[in-house]
Amino acid sequence: MRKCFFLLLIMAACTIANAQDYKKSPTFGIHLILNDFKTAAQIRSDGLANVLNSKQWSNTKRMVAGLGVSYINGINEHVDYAISLSGSYVDYPIPNSVSDGQQNLLLEAVATANLKLISDKYIVVPFLTGGIGASKYKGYYGALIPIGVGLQIKVIEGTYILLNSQYRIPASNTTVAYHFYHSFGVGVSFKKKSAEPAAEVTLPSGS
């Protein structure tokens, strides 16, 4: 009985150690982003089925390109948290406001939790994402809620291709517009160096 107990302890320790190996190290990413306000507006006015049938939702000419950066770190084997900042020049459709026809810088900062369906042990890892964020456009500030899906593809150990699509929902309806956010990027992990064990000093034995 005692041998079985110690065997179970060893198996549990191995399982925990293995899980820790696949907790994501601090990862920095850079992304090409596409903001799509037109498709989001059409879904709300015409319905999802009509928009899908029109096939215009996949036309990148309707979208506005920009750049983003991100920081990702693992909470455990299946959950990462991510902080991202993105910027694009757009004629932002502020609700209940008349557009001046000029493009200005839209900044969005978002914090999300990424729920990975499998661990980083695998090459292709799908995940669900959700969180909260803030936006700034000219003198307008607002809050938003991003929800979406993503895909992480391991190129080599510690280097990933990151794909993400989010539907960004206004938390402040007067200053934020519904829109889709798509990103394609590369993330690189920087593992913390573990301290090297001190070298053992062997004393000569006495004669």
Side-chain angles (χ1 to χ4, degrees), residues 126-176:
F127 61 88
L128 305 175
T129 185
I132 192 166
S135 68
K136 177 185 182 298
Y137 181 76
K138 296 195 292 187
Y140 297 92
Y141 294 84
L144 55 92
I145 300 172
I147 56 172
V149 295
L151 198 65
Q152 171 186 285
I153 303 171
K154 185 189 300 182
V155 180
I156 57 174
E157 192 65 37
T159 302
Y160 310 96
I161 293 174
L162 302 170
L163 307 174
N164 194 8
S165 287
Q166 298 175 358
Y167 185 47
R168 296 194 162 180
I169 303 167
S172 51
N173 290 327
T174 57
T175 57
V176 178

